Amino acid sequence: MWKNYARSYIKNNRASSISIMAAALLAAMFLSLLCSIAYNFWAYDVEQIILEEGGWQGRIICETLGADDLSVISQFANVEKAVINEELSQKEKIVADVYLKNARTIYRDMPFIAAQLGLSKDSIQYNSLLLSRYFIHDPGDEEPPMLLALYAVILIIVAVSLILIIRGSFELSMNARIHQFGIFSSVGATPRQIRTCLLQEAAVLSIVPMLLGSMLGILISCGVIKTINFFAADVSGRHDAVFQYHPSIFAVTVFISFLTVIFSAWIPARNLSRMTPLEAIRNTSGLLLNKTKHSRILSYIFGIKGELAGNALKARKKHLRISTLSLLLSFLGFSIMLCFTALADISTRYTYFERYQDAWDIMITLKDTEISDFGFTDELLNISGIQDATVYQKAKALTFLSEGLQSDELSSIGGLEPVGGMPKTDGQFQVSAPIVILDDTSFLDFCSQIAITPSLDGAVVLNQIWDSINSSFRYKKYVPFVREDNQTTILYKNGKTVEIPVLSYTQTAPALREEYDNYALVHFIPLTMWNKTLGEVCEAESDSYIRILSDGAANLTDLNGLEQEIVQLVSEQYEIESENRIQERLSNDRLIQGMVMIFGAFCVLLAMIGITNVFSNTLGFLRQRKREFAGYMSIGLTPGEMRKMFCIEAFVIAGKPLLITLPLTVLFVQFAVTASSLDPMVFWSEAPILPIVIFAAAIVLFVALAYYIGGKRLLQCDLNETLRNDTLI
C-alpha cells in the first residue's frame, strides 16, 4: 500500500518532487565539488613538496655509510629502498634517503634502523612536511598537525548547512499532506509506517539526483583545476596541477550525500509522525496567517495587497529563512569580493607596476652568487636591445645618530623619536643602514646622474625619511634625514665597525626595483669599495640581482625575446630566476581574474541554493496557497490583484538581501579605502558596479520567474473548487 501511495504521490505532485530532486542534486554537487577540490589541493601540495624536497620519508646522516650499510637498511621488511643522496653528501658526512613501504610506522622503524647501524637518534631526519600531508605525525609531538581535523570540521559544517537547506524542501512536501496522514493514522497507520513511507519516498526521489550531482561536482572541480592552471600559468615556482580523483572520494561523497538527504527527510518525517490523528486531521493545509501582526511598510506602500503579501511572507518566514540567508550571503560575498579585488588591483598597480615601470624591464636573480663572482656584465651590455644593465647585491648594517646629526626639517616635525618610533640609547638613535652594492660602471653612472664627480672611493647616501606626521603611506612625503655636512659615516655589524667616506647625499635613488625602509639611511657603494673595505665587516645577502632596461618602447614580444637571450647567456653558469615587467603585469591580471571567477562561481552556487529554495517554497506551497487565494476570491479579490500580491512577495524576497547588502558593501569599501589611504574617487572611478548590478538583476529575475510559474499555475486552477475539495492526492 505504502509503495503504491508514494509512487502515486510522486506521479501526481511533480512540482514538489522536482524541488526535492533539485535540492538533492545541489547538495550532492556541492559536497562532491568540495571533496574533489580538497583532494586535488592535497595532491598538488604533496607533489610540490616532492618536487622541492624529494619523496623520501626518512634520512640517515653519518660520517661513514658504505654499501654494506645500505644493504642492511634495505633488508628491513618495511624498507622499499635506500639510496645515497649525492647532492647533499660531502666528505665529512654521508646522507642516505630511506623510502618506506608503509610510512605510518616510520617513527618506530627509523630509530630501530639507526640502532642496528650503531647510530644515535640524532643521525635521523624525517621529512616531516611530507609526512604531515599523509596525516602522519610524531607521537611525541605535543601539538600534532590538525589538517585532517580541519577537513572533517569543514565537511561537517557544510553537511549540516545542506541538511538545513534540503530539510525545507522535504518539510514543504510533507506538511502539504498532514491532513492526509492524519486520516491514514486514524485508520491504523503507525508512526513508524508513516516515517518509513516518507523516507522511502525521499530515497527514491534522491538516488538519481545524488549520483548526477556527484558526477557534476567532479566535472566542475576538473574545470576549476584547469581554470587555476590557465590563470596561474606564469606564476614562478609552481607546477601545473593535474586533475586527480580516487574512487574512495566518490564513495565518501555519495555516502555523505545519502546521509545528508536521509537526515534532512527524517527531521520533518519524525515531527509529522508524532502528531496525533486529531491534530493532523484538523490541519487544513493552509497558511497560518498571523492577523495580529501587520506589515506597516508594505501596507503603506501597496495598500491592502501589501498587507496580505506581508502576512503570507510572515507565515512562511521559517521556510524562507534559508533562501533569504543564501541570497544575502551570495550577493554580499560577490559584492565584497569584487570590491576587494578591485581595490587590491588598484593598490598593486599604484605601488608596484606604475611606480617601477620606468625602473626595470627584466629582472634576473642570481641564486647564491656574490656580485664579485658575476662575469657577464660586458656581454650583457653588448646584447642588442639592452639600454642599461645594473648588477647589484644587498647587505645590512647599522649606524648610530645623535640628535645633532638630524636635519633641520626632521627636527621641525619632532625628530626621530615621534616620526620613526626610534628610542634613544646613550643619547643616540640606532638606525638601519641598508647597503646596496652596485657594479663599478653602474655606480659611476649613478654619480653622473646626480651631478657629482664620479669616484669609486666613497658612498652615496639616500638622505630622506618618510614624514609620517604629515602624510600617509599611500602618498608619502619625504624630508631630509641628516645634515649633509658630515663627510664620513660609521657602519656597525656583528660587533665590528667601519668608517667610510661619503661622496654625496641625495634624494634620488638609482633606478632599481627596490623598496627601501621608511626610516633607513640607505648607502649605495661601488663593488670596489665593498671588496676593499666593507666585505669583511658586513655580510651580504646570498643572492645578487641584474636590473635590465630595454631600449625604446618595449612590448611583450620584444621583452620575451630579450629575456630568453639573457637567460640563455647567464643560465649556463648560474642558477637563476627571471621576470619581465609586462609578463608580470599580465600574470597579476590573470591571477586576479582567476580569483574573481573561482570565488564568483562559489557565490553563484550559493545563490543557486537560495533560488532553488525559493522555487521549492513557491511551488511546494502551491496546494496550501490554493485555499488561501480561494478565500481571497470569496471576498472579492480579482486575479489581477492576486498577481500584484505575487509581485510584492517576489520584490520583498529578492529585494531584502539586496537592500541589506548595499549599505554593508559601501561600509566595507569606505573602511578598506580609508585603511589603504587611497583617494575614494580613484576607487569609485573603477568600482565594479556593472557586474554587481548584473548579479543583482539575475537574482531578481530568477525569483520573479519562480513566482511567475507558481502564480500562473495557481490562477489556472479552479479556486472555488478548492474550497469544497480536499482529496488525498
Side-chain angles (χ1 to χ4, degrees), residues 359-606:
W360 73 290
D361 286 321
I362 297 173
M363 284 292 297
I364 305 293
T365 301
L366 303 169
K367 294 290 187 179
D368 299 320
T369 302
E370 297 283 342
I371 182 175
S372 56
D373 296 334
F374 182 73
F376 289 119
T377 305
D378 294 335
E379 288 83 347
L380 281 175
L381 294 173
N382 290 331
I383 295 178
S384 175
I386 293 182
Q387 175 185 345
D388 181 44
T390 298
V391 184
Y392 67 97
Q393 195 174 7
K394 295 181 287 185
K396 293 181 179 180
L398 297 172
T399 187
F400 289 90
L401 297 178
S402 63
E403 289 189 2
L405 293 178
Q406 298 179 45
S407 68
D408 294 337
E409 293 83 354
L410 179 58
S411 298
S412 66
I413 59 175
L416 276 175
E417 192 165 356
V419 174
M422 298 178 186
K424 284 185 180 181
T425 302
D426 297 330
Q428 290 186 316
F429 295 97
Q430 179 177 296
V431 178
S432 174
I435 300 172
V436 179
I437 310 153
L438 303 176
D439 68 89
D440 290 345
T441 302
S442 298
F443 184 81
L444 294 174
D445 290 341
F446 176 52
C447 291
S448 300
Q449 291 171 15
I450 60 176
I452 66 171
T453 303
S455 173
L456 300 178
D457 296 326
V460 175
V461 178
L462 183 62
N463 189 22
Q464 65 178 24
I465 185 172
W466 172 36
D467 180 4
S468 59
I469 305 297
N470 300 309
S471 64
S472 67
F473 75 92
R474 180 70 61 186
Y475 306 101
K476 294 179 180 178
K477 294 180 180 179
Y478 294 93
V479 297
F481 199 141
V482 296
R483 297 180 181 275
E484 298 187 356
D485 53 1
N486 195 11
Q487 301 300 314
T488 62
T489 183
I490 300 176
L491 301 178
Y492 300 81
K493 187 66 177 179
N494 298 327
K496 300 179 181 179
T497 63
V498 60
E499 185 176 6
I500 59 174
V502 175
L503 296 177
S504 177
Y505 294 90
T506 181
Q507 280 76 45
T508 303
L512 303 176
R513 194 194 66 178
E514 292 294 333
E515 181 77 20
Y516 305 113
D517 187 72
N518 295 317
Y519 311 108
L521 202 58
V522 185
H523 289 61
F524 300 98
I525 67 169
L527 176 60
T528 298
M529 172 171 281
W530 172 262
N531 292 333
K532 181 172 61 177
T533 308
L534 289 171
E536 297 180 358
V537 176
C538 302
E539 183 179 353
E541 295 181 4
S542 59
D543 298 338
S544 296
Y545 307 90
I546 308 173
R547 189 272 298 150
I548 295 169
L549 278 173
S550 64
D551 55 3
N555 56 50
L556 180 60
T557 303
D558 294 338
L559 284 188
N560 283 339
L562 188 59
E563 183 181 11
Q564 291 178 3
E565 190 173 356
I566 295 170
V567 168
Q568 186 176 1
L569 170 67
V570 179
S571 61
E572 294 180 356
Q573 188 170 340
Y574 306 99
E575 180 185 353
I576 67 169
E577 288 182 1
S578 67
E579 309 168 70
N580 81 60
R581 177 174 54 83
I582 299 179
Q583 187 63 60
E584 189 82 2
R585 175 64 183 273
L586 294 175
S587 299
N588 179 75
D589 292 343
R590 288 176 66 179
L591 280 176
I592 292 177
Q593 292 173 7
M595 184 172 63
V596 169
M597 287 187 63
I598 292 172
F599 282 99
F602 279 104
C603 292
V604 169
L605 183 60
L606 195 60

Side-chain angles (χ1 to χ4, degrees), residues 46 223 276 285 294 298 309 337 522 550 606 629 633 637:
V46 170
T276 64
S285 300
H294 302 281
L298 294 179
M337 179 267 300
V522 185
S550 64
L606 195 60
F629 279 91
M633 289 186 67
L637 209 64

Side-chain angles (χ1 to χ4, degrees), residues 155-170:
L155 194 59
I156 290 172
I157 292 174
V158 171
V160 170
S161 302
L162 292 174
I163 286 172
L164 296 176
I165 293 170
I166 305 173
R167 169 181 171 269
S169 299
F170 286 109

Side-chain angles (χ1 to χ4, degrees), residues 128-148:
S128 301
L129 189 60
L130 180 62
L131 292 172
S132 68
R133 295 304 181 264
Y134 288 103
F135 312 111
I136 303 171
H137 62 275
D138 188 352
D141 189 357
E142 296 181 356
E143 297 181 359
M146 302 297 292
L147 187 61
L148 181 60

Side-chain angles (χ1 to χ4, degrees), residues 272-321:
L272 192 151
S273 65
R274 285 185 167 186
M275 295 181 68
T276 64
L278 185 59
E279 289 174 337
I281 292 173
R282 282 180 176 176
N283 189 291
T284 59
S285 300
L287 287 174
L288 300 177
L289 301 179
N290 193 333
K291 299 179 181 180
T292 62
K293 293 184 179 180
H294 302 281
S295 303
R296 290 185 175 86
I297 297 177
L298 294 179
S299 177
Y300 178 79
I301 298 175
F302 301 106
I304 186 62
K305 294 180 287 295
E307 179 74 18
L308 295 175
N311 288 343
L313 290 172
K314 288 179 180 178
R316 292 181 295 143
K317 182 178 180 181
K318 179 180 177 182
H319 301 285
L320 290 171
R321 192 175 298 153

